[in-house]
Amino acid sequence: MTFLVRTKQKISRLLSAFFKKRTCRIGIYGPPNAGKTTLANRIVRDWAGDAVGPVSEVPHETRRVRRKEDITIKAQNGNSVTMDIVDTPGVTTKIDYNEFVEYGIEKDEAIKRAREATEGVAEAMHWLREDIDGVIYMLDSTQDPFQQVNIMLVGIIESRKLPVLIVANKNDLPDASPARIKSAFPQHPVIAISGLEGTNVDELYEKMTSYFG
């Protein structure tokens, strides 16, 4: 193979990569322990037979952004969308190591986890500013929605005009009140689900194909 032919092939590959349409990146954001990783695992398992990461009752189990690429979701109406699912740490203004100590974790390990979680929040916000194309905003339907919303996160979403789906999670629990979340966000679609039980996720998939497709 001549040098000229090899050069043409290399240029062709570079141009193909440059003009290839990037798969949309959908970030799952929300407060700690709202069920973000549980939902990410549900989506990835349903459509790729895989998982994103471990879950725990301990806050900030997810302390780094995790991504699963090229997940194709198909709705019952025939629509489909291929996306990268981006699971993010719980966004909060302050992370105290005592949150981990309360769950029996030793102080040194708790301090380490708090530092990692703080760095993870900064990483998640960077992704939101630069690399995310749409947001699933995950809220705990057993809690007051106004105490869960992070103003900085909402500000970035609004400034970038990102499409947003509000998910009221943990709808399987007896004290769940998705109506409170719906009333707090009248301008956005709100889907009440249980990421753990899989309740109503088909409706979420329908919305995802239409909103993010």
Side-chain angles (χ1 to χ4, degrees), residues 36-200:
K36 297 178 297 299
T37 301
T38 298
L39 177 61
N41 285 340
R42 168 72 59 179
I43 294 170
V44 174
R45 283 190 181 118
D46 281 354
W47 300 104
D50 202 351
V52 175
V55 297
S56 170
E57 65 174 4
V58 180
H60 310 289
E61 179 66 28
T62 301
R63 298 185 293 280
R64 285 290 182 268
V65 172
R66 302 188 184 108
R67 177 175 62 166
K68 282 292 183 180
E69 299 180 335
D70 296 329
I71 305 299
T72 299
I73 294 174
K74 299 178 181 179
Q76 293 179 351
N77 61 11
N79 292 337
S80 67
V81 61
T82 299
M83 63 182 65
D84 294 351
I85 296 294
V86 181
D87 182 32
T88 67
V91 176
T92 185
T93 54
K94 183 180 179 182
I95 300 169
D96 189 331
Y97 76 89
N98 285 305
E99 294 180 58
F100 301 100
V101 172
E102 290 173 0
Y103 284 85
I105 295 173
E106 295 294 330
K107 182 178 179 180
D108 288 348
E109 175 64 17
I111 292 172
K112 176 175 176 286
R113 289 193 182 199
R115 182 173 62 251
E116 291 174 348
T118 301
E119 293 169 353
V121 170
E123 181 188 16
M125 299 302 269
H126 176 77
W127 272 77
L128 186 62
R129 292 186 184 97
E130 304 291 338
D131 297 311
I132 294 298
D133 302 302
V135 172
I136 295 174
Y137 203 149
M138 197 87 167
L139 297 173
D140 183 340
S141 63
T142 69
Q143 304 295 322
D144 183 341
F146 294 106
Q147 294 182 0
Q148 300 182 69
V149 172
N150 182 279
I151 299 301
M152 182 181 294
L153 190 152
V154 171
I156 296 172
I157 292 171
E158 291 183 345
S159 68
R160 294 197 57 212
K161 297 180 172 61
L162 296 174
V164 181
L165 287 176
I166 309 292
V167 172
N169 192 35
K170 303 187 181 181
N171 203 35
D172 55 305
L173 299 180
D175 53 346
S177 179
R180 286 190 300 179
I181 295 177
K182 290 179 180 180
S183 64
F185 299 95
Q187 305 301 320
H188 294 281
V190 177
I191 301 97
I193 71 163
S194 167
L196 182 64
E197 301 292 337
T199 307
N200 226 25

Side-chain angles (χ1 to χ4, degrees), residues 42-43 46-47 73 201-209:
R42 168 72 59 179
I43 294 170
D46 281 354
W47 300 104
I73 294 174
V201 293
D202 286 341
E203 181 183 348
L204 175 61
Y205 295 152
E206 295 277 348
K207 289 288 187 182
M208 288 174 71
T209 58

